[in-house]
Amino acid sequence: MLSSDLLGPQWNCPLGSKDLEDKEGLWGGGSGLPPPDYLSGSWRLDVGLDCEGSPEGAEARAWTTYYYSLLQSCLRQAGLPETQDRSQVPRTGCPGAEVTLCILGSPSTFLSVLLEGGVQSPGNMLLCLSPAWLTKVPAPGRPGEAALLVSKAVSFHPGGLTFLDDFVPRRQATYFLVGLGPGPGQGREAAELARDLTCPTGGSAELARLLEDRLLTRHLLAQKGGVAVPATLAFTYKPPTLLQGGDASPGLRLVELSGKEGQEALVKEEVGAFLHSEALGDALQVAIKLSSWRWRGRQALRLFPRTEVGTVADTVVALLEKLEEEESVLVEAVCPPARLPFPGNAPPGPELAMRICAVVCRTQGDRPLLSKVVCAVGRGDRPLRHQNSLPRTLEVVLAQCGLGEAAQVAVVRQSVKAASEAALAAVLALEAGLSAEQRGGRLACTDFLGVDFALTVAGGALIPVALELNSGLCLEACGALEGLWAAPRSGTATKEAAAATPLVETMLRSSARCLMEGKQLLVIGAGGVGKKFVWEAARDYGLKLHLVESDPNHFASQLVQTFIHFDVTEHRKDEENARLLAELVRARGLQLDGCFSYWDDCLVLTALLCQELGLPCSPPDAMRLAKQKSRTQLHLLCCHGPPWPAPSLHAVPCCPLESEADVERAVCRVPLPGVMKLEFGAGAVGVRLVEDALQCHQHFSQIAHDLQGEADHPGIGLGWGNSMLLMEFIEGTEHDVDLVLFGGRLLAAFVSDNGPTRLPGFTETAACMPTGLAPEQEAQLVQAAFRCCLGCGLLDGVFNVELKMTRAGPRLIEINPRMGGFYLRDWILELYGVDLLLAAAMVACGLRPALPAHPRASGHMVGVTGLVSQHLQVLSSTASQEALRALHDQGLLRFNQFISLEEAQVTGEYEEPYCSVACAGPSPAEARLRLLGLCQGLGIDGPHYPVAHFLSHFK
């Protein structure tokens, strides 16, 4: 028996009584003291729950104590230790400079979020048990907005450790999630705390009012999301503004009433037509309920047989008197349980009904992502409610109901995924059209949604029908299911992904935005068209950028707060230039929070300038060491540890080359075949495989003649000179490892695979992300990259490390002491929701990047590079920039342009890739097949550029 309230005749309740399922929530007000027999346990209650300067009354203090005990009960059931009281020694910190994720709500509802937050951001996930622990203060420079300060909270740490902490000075929230809708008493106080904050807010009283209106959400899901909902007849008195003038929704009949009296004839006519319509399908009963946030959590009489037209009409008429403006009376079909064919003989007992609960979260780019599905099963003739049924997995429940085949279960799961993600997409689209006042704040947004479904049969297929939005209860049900695996028990443990993982990742992303909004950053070197994303991202994040650039006509000069024209190409004068730039910055009165560069040529200058200005950065000597390729290898070869494994294990023998005599000595020391490259080069320009001494001399002479200075090939490091090195050629697969380091700690690492190059050159041809290596090999690459960075003194920043995986383990190609180039930032953002640009900006400001502890890829990306020498004809026709951009905008591929078509005209040995074309897929094989077909259709694939061969490493 399934409707959104799921009442049976034996559970009749008078209008206005409390529904067992829909509680008003924490601090609902008007309910007096907590239950007298609540939550007895052995935990200590003589803890510091009082908040200095914010005394609570007796009733409020009783509820604070109740929820503290509820937290201890939840921790005990999960096999976790009791909260330790540290409030006597206040915690200190850096308000406004640290992530602070704050939740005000029931511990049982948000336990999974709190525990996951303790893992992903230790000590920064805070639970407030009382509104008195929080304070709003006006935000300087932001009229009408306020900062939220935390005086006391329970902090969460890895391993489920929790501490009751006081904060002096008070911590400033960078993300706030309140677990209550608008209600009387202290509920109003909590709702006011969430209104008009400077930090992102995962909901508000205003948004809760919208989502708690059953009529509005049912219309939204059916019309905007294409989600199946129960057939519904709605009588409304002055309908909600958001419903006025809207189109009809499938399965939803809206009757606007001119008044609340004298409507008997109209109601009887409409009810009769509805109950006899085909829209009700096989439903035998209907439920009658009131719809608006005011009636949330209240019973709406009882169920009626579909045949009792007169009784249903009379009940509706009686309820009309209780309506206020924008409220409705709903008559809805009770979805009959899906009758699944049981293999063999059906088990004895009553028919079973199931309720499917899906939690879906907002992720990077406002994309909905199904986080977890939890089910409940019970007798088909009785109500099936949250908190009165055991949470189970979808597979177990479907098997109990007679559906056990993996393929059939996968179809049901996919349909639930599609419906729940469509529901959140519809909600986000609605919110995007609301004003800040209507949302309850400029940064208020629904970050997660719980959707209750019934599973019914329509047209011979199993269809999930959305009954209700129940975010808190669905999240609590998922946490309860996860608790099954948390408690100690015998047997093999089962690792279940937390439902809250994507929500916590969204909280961290939002916090990063909050911390960085308005930050003043100096950027050294603008880069080319491949770095256009920098200026777009800066605008999106609210960064205030100031630019130092050699080209006075650079397009970015019009996109920044301050443009400083300064020649940064002569790197032999970097120390002098750093002092001159520091004087220019001071003369202009720039109050900088940080300074950074993503442009190879400017990295040492940037480090020197940061040193002059007293801004955070890796030491200039570390940058110099990483910038010069032979120095990097020779230095690491001498780093034998401890600790072990030492960086020397990954370094490759090499010799620097500045003259023909150096070449002669090098061929005697470095085993051939070898690789010759520019010491300060970039983009694989001038890199060549050499088989013998003659080829070494020939290539050295050619480079010395062709590439003498910056004017010969701008942007590849010739401002540092054209000296070279010879290093041993290492057999193996090539990989990029992009690292985020802060204070010498590894915060994140992303590994990608590269395809075979077109020897004797080393220009990149293809790439795949995430890596296809075994987890152990992936970990070896990450640790090798990390150890090499530390060995060079690179402790803070975003770095790109190129390695080869050999049969003996990872070997270093080179370290790029800046964010990965080409497509890497875009791919990592798309697949993992982590922005390396924002992480680099945070490190430059001395802030620890707010990153998930274990980022998970949402899919796979496989791409191929485009070269003008091979693709000039198609780049001017079928694969033109306009054509590729159009396919990108349609979501059919990802197009990343590195340089302009004019710049790409340098062909032959010194050619740089023009672009990358990539396809995404749920697996590497599917992404590879999509890309291969697309390249064949566009003409990128051909006899002289065999894409299938370049992608062969990714099988």
Side-chain angles (χ1 to χ4, degrees):
M1 179 182 298
L2 296 163
S3 76
S4 49
D5 280 319
L6 304 170
L7 311 176
Q10 59 269 56
W11 286 278
N12 293 349
C13 299
L15 189 66
S17 65
K18 294 295 291 179
D19 187 339
L20 293 174
E21 175 181 342
D22 293 323
K23 300 177 181 177
E24 277 194 358
L26 183 56
W27 308 295
S31 56
L33 297 173
D37 300 325
Y38 70 86
L39 302 172
S40 59
S42 58
W43 50 82
R44 296 182 56 180
L45 289 176
D46 56 338
V47 294
L49 297 178
D50 291 323
C51 187
E52 185 176 350
S54 299
E56 293 182 297
E59 181 178 320
R61 174 57 191 269
W63 280 105
T64 302
T65 303
Y66 168 79
Y67 284 105
Y68 181 80
S69 292
L70 177 58
L71 171 62
Q72 303 315 307
S73 178
C74 291
L75 292 173
R76 182 177 61 182
Q77 290 187 41
L80 299 174
E82 180 181 343
T83 300
Q84 299 179 41
D85 186 2
R86 302 192 301 193
S87 59
Q88 299 304 313
V89 182
R91 306 289 104 186
T92 59
C94 303
E98 58 192 345
V99 169
T100 301
L101 313 175
C102 181
I103 292 179
L104 175 64
S106 167
S108 61
T109 298
F110 293 104
L111 186 64
S112 62
V113 183
L114 296 163
L115 294 175
E116 180 68 17
V119 172
Q120 294 207 37
S121 190
N124 297 323
M125 176 60 81
L126 307 181
L127 170 65
C128 289
L129 300 174
S130 168
W133 295 7
L134 294 158
T135 308
K136 286 175 74 172
V137 296
R142 297 183 183 177
E145 294 187 352
L148 186 66
L149 304 181
V150 185
S151 301
K152 179 187 287 289
V154 177
S155 61
F156 284 73
H157 299 258
L161 296 179
T162 55
F163 301 92
L164 181 61
D165 289 326
D166 278 9
F167 302 105
V168 178
R170 293 174 293 183
R171 292 186 67 160
Q172 183 172 334
T174 58
Y175 184 94
F176 185 50
L177 181 59
V178 60
L180 29 136
Q186 288 185 324
R188 294 195 184 96
E189 184 180 351
E192 179 55 36
L193 282 172
R195 184 174 292 115
D196 293 323
L197 295 178
T198 57
C199 69
T201 309
S204 66
E206 287 76 7
L207 293 178
R209 288 190 176 195
L210 295 177
L211 299 183
E212 288 169 359
D213 186 328
R214 289 188 178 97
L215 175 58
L216 176 61
T217 55
R218 195 154 290 180
H219 167 80
L220 183 67
L221 266 57
Q223 186 185 71
K224 305 298 183 182
V227 180
V229 299
T232 304
L233 173 65
F235 296 93
T236 179
Y237 172 60
K238 296 186 177 180
T241 305
L242 294 173
L243 283 178
Q244 292 176 5
D247 298 330
S249 301
L252 178 62
R253 165 73 175 161
L254 179 62
V255 180
E256 297 185 24
L257 302 176
S258 57
K260 293 185 286 186
E261 298 179 355
Q263 305 293 331
E264 292 82 358
L266 175 61
V267 168
K268 187 171 183 179
E269 179 184 352
E270 290 286 351
V271 167
F274 177 71
L275 295 183
H276 290 99
S277 71
E278 295 181 356
L280 271 69
D282 296 331
L284 300 177
Q285 293 178 305
V286 293
I288 304 178
K289 59 193 65 174
L290 289 162
S291 171
S292 83
W293 67 269
R294 191 168 67 97
W295 296 103
R296 176 70 169 180
R298 303 191 176 194
Q299 289 283 10
L301 297 181
R302 59 188 180 96
L303 300 179
F304 295 89
R306 179 178 175 178
T307 55
E308 296 184 2
V309 176
T311 307
V312 171
D314 292 343
T315 305
V316 170
V317 170
L319 288 176
L320 292 180
E321 300 177 5
K322 302 184 178 295
L323 291 185
E324 295 183 358
E325 291 186 9
E326 300 192 348
E327 295 184 344
S328 310
V329 178
L330 305 184
V331 182
E332 70 171 39
V334 176
C335 300
R339 292 174 173 84
L340 302 177
F342 232 101
N345 296 324
E351 187 177 38
L352 296 179
M354 74 173 70
R355 181 171 182 144
I356 299 175
C357 163
V359 172
V360 58
C361 301
R362 183 175 69 90
T363 62
Q364 171 66 32
D366 290 338
R367 286 176 293 193
L369 175 67
L370 177 67
S371 173
K372 179 160 284 193
V373 176
V374 174
C375 297
V377 65
R379 292 173 57 121
D381 58 348
R382 294 187 179 180
L384 193 55
R385 298 187 177 98
H386 282 287
Q387 300 177 334
N388 285 337
S389 55
L390 293 175
R392 307 181 188 190
T393 63
L394 178 65
E395 289 74 13
V396 167
V397 169
L398 288 177
Q400 288 179 323
C401 295
L403 195 69
E405 287 190 20
Q408 295 174 318
V409 173
V411 170
V412 174
R413 180 175 287 277
Q414 180 58 37
S415 63
V416 172
K417 173 180 170 66
S420 57
E421 291 179 353
L424 180 55
V427 169
L428 295 178
L430 170 70
E431 293 177 2
L434 301 177
S435 66
E437 182 180 3
Q438 289 174 312
R439 291 196 307 272
R442 176 175 58 94
L443 300 177
C445 180
T446 297
D447 283 336
F448 80 101
L449 202 63
V451 189
D452 282 325
F453 293 99
L455 193 63
T456 63
V457 177
L462 289 171
I463 303 296
V465 177
L467 301 175
E468 193 169 20
L469 304 183
N470 253 333
S471 297
L473 291 170
C474 288
L475 187 63
E476 188 173 48
C478 291
L481 180 64
E482 292 163 12
L484 293 176
W485 317 115
R489 65 195 185 283
S490 60
T492 304
T494 302
K495 178 62 177 176
E496 282 285 309
T501 297
L503 174 58
V504 173
E505 292 174 357
T506 294
M507 297 166 80
L508 289 171
R509 272 192 297 271
S510 300
S511 290
R513 285 175 168 269
C514 178
L515 287 170
M516 291 301 293
E517 186 178 12
K519 286 286 189 288
Q520 308 276 343
L521 287 125
L522 184 65
V523 178
I524 312 299
V529 296
K531 304 300 182 185
K532 278 187 175 181
F533 66 83
V534 172
W535 320 108
E536 298 166 359
R539 183 174 60 251
D540 182 40
Y541 292 132
L543 304 179
K544 308 298 183 183
L545 296 189
H546 310 271
L547 174 63
V548 176
E549 167 57 37
S550 303
D551 179 4
N553 300 314
H554 197 285
F555 70 86
S557 64
Q558 305 300 313
L559 305 175
V560 293
Q561 305 292 311
T562 306
F563 178 72
I564 300 175
H565 175 225
F566 191 96
D567 185 6
V568 296
T569 61
E570 184 47 71
H571 301 294
R572 295 179 181 88
K573 298 181 179 179
D574 273 350
E575 292 191 5
E576 177 186 346
N577 287 340
R579 289 191 291 270
L580 293 174
L581 278 173
E583 292 175 6
L584 284 174
V585 167
R586 296 187 187 104
R588 295 195 178 215
L590 300 183
Q591 301 297 314
L592 299 176
D593 297 294
C595 172
F596 76 115
S597 179
Y598 44 79
W599 197 239
D600 278 292
D601 282 6
C602 300
L603 299 175
V604 174
L605 174 61
T606 300
L608 290 165
L609 180 57
C610 287
Q611 192 175 65
E612 289 284 337
L613 297 174
L615 295 172
C617 188
S618 288
D621 286 345
M623 284 292 188
R624 288 192 183 98
L625 187 59
K627 178 63 183 167
Q628 188 170 354
K629 295 174 175 58
S630 66
R631 283 191 63 198
T632 304
Q633 299 284 5
L634 295 174
H635 172 79
L636 293 176
L637 281 169
C638 299
C639 296
H640 299 293
W644 186 88
S648 59
L649 291 173
H650 312 299
V652 178
C654 68
C655 284
L657 309 174
E658 294 190 2
S659 66
E660 291 283 356
D662 290 335
V663 177
E664 195 63 39
R665 284 191 294 269
V667 296
C668 298
R669 298 178 183 177
V670 176
L672 296 179
V675 177
M676 290 186 72
K677 60 172 72 175
L678 289 164
E679 278 277 22
F680 303 97
V685 175
V687 183
R688 186 177 181 86
L689 179 70
V690 285
E691 302 280 357
D692 51 37
L694 178 60
Q695 289 186 5
C696 291
H697 284 285
Q698 289 175 339
H699 191 57
F700 182 84
S701 298
Q702 185 177 358
I703 292 293
H705 177 269
D706 295 345
L707 302 177
Q708 297 182 15
E710 182 72 13
D712 294 325
H713 202 311
I716 65 163
L718 292 175
W720 291 87
N722 67 345
S723 58
M724 302 185 72
L725 76 150
L726 173 66
M727 64 186 296
E728 182 182 347
F729 176 69
I730 304 298
E731 294 283 358
T733 55
E734 189 172 334
H735 308 270
D736 279 74
V737 181
D738 289 273
L739 305 173
V740 181
L741 272 63
F742 188 75
R745 294 183 178 275
L746 178 62
L747 301 187
F750 307 93
V751 181
S752 55
D753 304 338
N754 292 334
T757 61
R758 301 166 66 229
L759 296 175
F762 287 87
T763 301
E764 184 174 314
T765 59
C768 176
M769 183 182 282
T771 177
L773 294 174
E776 179 179 332
Q777 291 179 302
E778 179 183 13
Q780 287 175 347
L781 281 172
V782 170
Q783 286 303 308
F786 180 37
R787 284 192 289 266
C788 289
C789 286
L790 294 183
C792 290
L794 299 172
L795 306 180
D796 297 278
V798 177
F799 308 120
N800 171 259
V801 184
E802 299 176 30
L803 303 107
K804 275 196 171 182
M805 175 56 76
T806 73
R807 288 180 293 179
R811 304 295 296 275
L812 176 68
I813 299 175
E814 62 189 46
I815 297 174
N816 300 304
R818 42 78 180 159
M819 175 180 66
F822 289 170
Y823 49 81
L824 285 168
R825 180 259 180 181
D826 180 56
W827 284 18
I828 292 170
L829 181 60
E830 174 70 16
L831 292 174
Y832 295 94
V834 172
D835 192 344
L836 294 185
L837 174 65
L838 184 60
M842 294 189 75
V843 174
C845 293
L847 301 177
R848 179 187 173 102
L851 302 176
H854 304 288
R856 302 169 304 163
S858 60
H860 296 263
M861 195 81 71
V862 176
V864 64
T865 56
L867 299 173
V868 168
S869 64
Q870 304 297 317
H871 304 120
L872 181 58
Q873 183 175 352
V874 297
L875 289 174
S876 303
S877 55
T878 54
S880 67
Q881 179 181 338
E882 295 74 20
L884 293 175
R885 179 60 61 188
L887 293 171
H888 175 99
D889 293 341
Q890 295 172 44
L892 299 176
L893 57 76
R894 294 201 73 80
F895 170 60
N896 293 99
Q897 184 180 355
F898 308 146
I899 54 179
S900 68
L901 201 54
E902 293 73 22
E903 292 173 306
Q905 298 299 321
V906 179
T907 59
E909 290 191 48
Y910 309 134
E911 183 176 20
E912 294 181 84
Y914 164 68
C915 69
S916 167
V917 175
C919 286
S923 68
E926 188 163 337
R928 187 176 66 250
L929 288 174
R930 290 178 183 175
L931 179 63
L932 184 57
L934 191 141
C935 288
Q936 291 170 345
L938 293 173
I940 295 174
D941 181 43
H944 301 291
Y945 204 78
V947 172
H949 169 65
F950 299 145
L951 303 182
S952 60
H953 279 201
F954 311 143
K955 292 182 179 179

